[in-house]
Structures are given as structure tokens and as C-alpha cells.
Amino acid sequence: MSLSIRNQLPGTVTAIATGEVMASVKVSLTGGQELTAAVTLDAVRDLGLGTGSEVRALVKATEVALATGPVSGLSIRNQLPGTVSEVATGGAMAGVKVAVAGGELTAAITADAATELGLKAGTPVVALIKATEVSLAAA
């Protein structure tokens, strides 16, 4: 199946914490970083997820925020350090490609934000992704 979601990171489920309706799924990405996805219990069952399951973490580019350094005091669980590899700026928006351990992420941010952050190839950044914005697909 082809998807329009550019960010597809392979990994392995390392832990699942379940609640009444939702589950918090920890994924060890191929590059060694950890990602947390908040998905429904139905999704966990339908995908047959368990510790050791191979998955792809899917994140829309519009759901990736960028910071120029680590951020503390924030509820966002996923903070992946990386380096900007490319910036494509249009009139209103910018597409920023970020090389992270084991892959690449694309962030769609405003052109103003890209300019204010001084983003260019080689800039170190941290990709911020809320756990509720990470979808999982069985690999």
C-alpha cells in the first residue's frame, strides 16, 4: 500500500502499557532511538502488536515540530535529535528534511519559523512529535 505520509520509520515494539481504551506503545527505532505512540486498544489487537513486533511508525510532516535544542518541561514524549539536510521554502510554508539516526523525517513548518530558527543544511535540531500523532503499521 502506498501512503502520502512521508515519515515512515521502522522499529520494534519494546513495551505496551494499556488503559481502558488507549495504549502507549514504545518502539525502538532502527537507529536506536525510542518513540512512543498512543494508539487505541483496538489498533493493538488488530495489528497483533506485542513485544518484539516489527512496525513502521508513521507521522504526517505537519505533525513534526522543530526546536534548535532539547526542550524540557514539555509533555511531548518524542524528541528525536537530528541534523537538517535540506530546506525548501515557499511563500508560506517550508519543508525541512531532518536526518535522524536510522532514517529521515520531513517537517512542514511555516516559512517564518524556518527563517527565525535559521534552519539550513547542517543545523542541529530536535524533532518534536506528540505520541498521539504517531500511527503504527505492522511491518
Side-chain angles (χ1 to χ4, degrees), residues 47-98:
L47 294 170
L49 297 182
T51 301
S53 295
E54 298 295 319
V55 295
R56 281 181 296 133
L58 310 170
V59 183
K60 290 175 58 176
T62 53
E63 300 304 331
V64 179
L66 298 175
T68 54
V71 182
S72 62
L74 192 64
S75 67
I76 295 176
R77 297 293 83 200
N78 301 306
Q79 297 192 31
L80 304 177
T83 303
V84 173
S85 57
E86 181 182 330
V87 179
T89 304
M93 298 296 291
V96 181
K97 291 187 179 179
V98 178

Side-chain angles (χ1 to χ4, degrees), residues 112-128:
D112 288 345
T115 299
E116 289 171 16
L117 293 172
L119 300 180
K120 61 183 184 289
T123 303
V125 293
V126 177
L128 307 166

Side-chain angles (χ1 to χ4, degrees), residues 8-65:
Q8 300 186 28
L9 301 171
T12 304
V13 173
T14 58
I16 301 173
T18 59
E20 293 294 315
V21 176
M22 299 290 291
S24 176
V25 180
K26 296 216 182 281
V27 176
S28 177
L29 299 177
T30 301
Q33 300 186 57
E34 186 173 85
L35 192 71
T36 300
V39 298
T40 65
L41 286 179
D42 287 341
V44 170
R45 282 192 290 273
D46 292 347
L47 294 170
L49 297 182
T51 301
S53 295
E54 298 295 319
V55 295
R56 281 181 296 133
L58 310 170
V59 183
K60 290 175 58 176
T62 53
E63 300 304 331
V64 179

